[in-house]
Amino acid sequence: MTHAFLLILYLGQKIISQDMHFYSIDDCRYYAERLNNQPPVPNRVAGEDQPKTRKYVAVCEPSLVNPKRVKIYD
């Protein structure tokens, strides 16, 4: 087992990705920042009281993983 940083990507309040692991917090934060700077996307299922766009939100979280079972990016 080894420590890595998990990049979690939300679209609005829904998690859409949580399968990218990085050895370096700096690499994880680089990709999180790039994703957080993306423009909002249309919310196709928005009702009258819901926002018309949704924003990507990416965060890095430390995790303990087995490198034999999980791909960890250098």
Side-chain angles (χ1 to χ4, degrees), residues 9-21:
L9 181 61
Y10 296 87
L11 182 55
Q13 295 180 344
K14 182 179 178 184
I15 293 175
I16 60 170
S17 175
Q18 56 182 351
D19 59 358
M20 291 180 276
H21 293 83

Side-chain angles (χ1 to χ4, degrees), residues 30-64:
Y30 169 81
Y31 288 104
E33 183 179 333
R34 296 291 304 263
L35 290 164
N36 287 332
N37 288 331
Q38 295 296 308
V41 296
N43 185 356
R44 292 190 173 99
V45 295
E48 289 183 22
D49 59 340
Q50 295 178 334
K52 302 298 181 208
T53 61
R54 295 186 291 181
K55 183 145 178 61
Y56 286 107
V57 176
V59 296
C60 295
E61 204 172 88
S63 62
L64 189 61

